[in-house]
């Protein structure tokens, strides 16, 4: 699907490379599991079913978990109006529009493709942002839909889910019940391989997640022509999130990779940034500042 969102070849390359590497990792992982133990086949089938559900029903799962509901133009005329304008500007199909009744100021996009996408905003973000800032956030989320990176992230996270399931199965099931030394060695090998696969897939998907946020910032700001509005929204949301109770943030942390701004994040560039779903706020603001100057020079 071609849209007027600025193409990002760097994002396309990273999605392709990440998917390829995870695919190789997955094939080798499954081959080893099947060679070591027949019980792994059942785990793979279960995980495959989980992937199917996650991929085909990711929009419904996310909305249910965030207490979001689809809203009509009559229920949210300003929100629909902003998305209508942006979709017309981007020349892309309009996604379904949803609102989550939570105070956490955030937004996310989900869905397996642009025709089955949902853009959801929280009541918290709608109360805090002005029209230009909210439009910047919506443009950011729509660029995720246009670039199809939401679907890629859903698929990319599958291997980590599979490895986690295998690890739990081995720790709480096979290892405790297998007193035979050979069987215990097999189960322990499976667990160690699963842990290694989980760690690699975790780092690959987090690296892709950080880059896709920068790509969405740039594409969204270029579409609206107002990087400063998006930077203002980022600053305001990040500051307000810091005042949200930690308990509420932890409940939403599982959706960090899909949020506009992370519910819980590290500060600055450190080892913890390798495990974060988003680049540091300072990096995002710096990039938007550079883009603002570039657009100013062209004007």
């Amino acid at each position: 699907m071609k849209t007027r969102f600025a193409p990002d070849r760097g994002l396309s390359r990273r999605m392709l490379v990440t998917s390829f590497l995870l695919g190789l990792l997955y094939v080798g992982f499954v081959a080893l599991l099947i060679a070591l133990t027949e019980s792994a086949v059942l785990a793979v089938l279960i995980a495959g079913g989980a992937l199917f559900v996650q991929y085909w029903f990711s929009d419904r799962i996310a909305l249910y978990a965030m207490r979001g509901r689809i809203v009509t133009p009559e229920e949210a005329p300003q929100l629909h109006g902003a998305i209508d304008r942006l979709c017309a500007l981007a020349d892309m199909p309009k996604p379904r529009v949803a609102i989550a009744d939570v105070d956490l100021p955030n937004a996310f996009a989900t869905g397996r493709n642009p025709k089955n996408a949902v853009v959801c905003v929280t009541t918290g973000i709608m109360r805090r942002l002005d029209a230009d800032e909210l439009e910047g956030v919506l443009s950011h989320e729509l660029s995720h839909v246009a670039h199809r990176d939401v679907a890629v992230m859903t698929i990319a996270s599958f291997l980590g889910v599979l490895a986690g399931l295998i690890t739990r199965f081995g720790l709480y099931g096979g290892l405790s019940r297998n007193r035979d030394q050979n069987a215990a060695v097999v189960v322990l090998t499976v667990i160690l391989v699963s842990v290694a696969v989980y760690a690699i897939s975790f780092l690959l998907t987090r690296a892709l997640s950080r880059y896709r946020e920068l790509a969405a910032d740039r594409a969204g700001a270029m579409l609206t022509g107002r990087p400063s509005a998006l930077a203002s929204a980022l600053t305001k949301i990040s500051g307000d999130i810091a005042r949200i109770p930690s308990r509420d943030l932890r409940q939403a942390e599982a959706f960090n990779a899909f949020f506009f701004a992370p519910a819980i994040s590290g500060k600055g560039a450190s080892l913890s940034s390798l495990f974060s779903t988003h680049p540091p706020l300072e990096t995002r603001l710096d990039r938007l500042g550079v883009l603002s100057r570039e657009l100013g020079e062209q004007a």
Side-chain angles (χ1 to χ4, degrees), residues 65-67 246-255 259 263-264:
M66 285 299 297
R67 293 180 290 172
S246 298
R247 182 188 62 182
D248 296 337
L249 294 180
R250 284 194 295 270
Q251 290 176 351
E253 190 177 7
F255 291 92
F259 276 152
I264 297 178

Side-chain angles (χ1 to χ4, degrees), residues 189-212:
T189 302
V190 170
I191 293 173
L192 293 176
V193 171
S194 299
V195 170
V197 168
Y198 178 82
I200 295 171
S201 62
F202 180 88
L203 292 175
L204 285 173
T205 53
R206 291 302 171 100
L208 176 60
S209 178
R210 290 191 296 274
Y211 186 89
R212 83 185 189 108

Side-chain angles (χ1 to χ4, degrees), residues 63 68-72 75 80 96-99 118-119:
L63 287 179
R69 64 182 183 88
I70 303 296
V71 293
T72 65
E75 293 174 299
H80 270 273
R96 287 172 293 163
V97 180
I99 294 178
V118 178
V119 171

Side-chain angles (χ1 to χ4, degrees), residues 59-68:
D59 52 345
R60 300 180 190 180
I61 295 171
L63 287 179
Y64 177 79
M66 285 299 297
R67 293 180 290 172

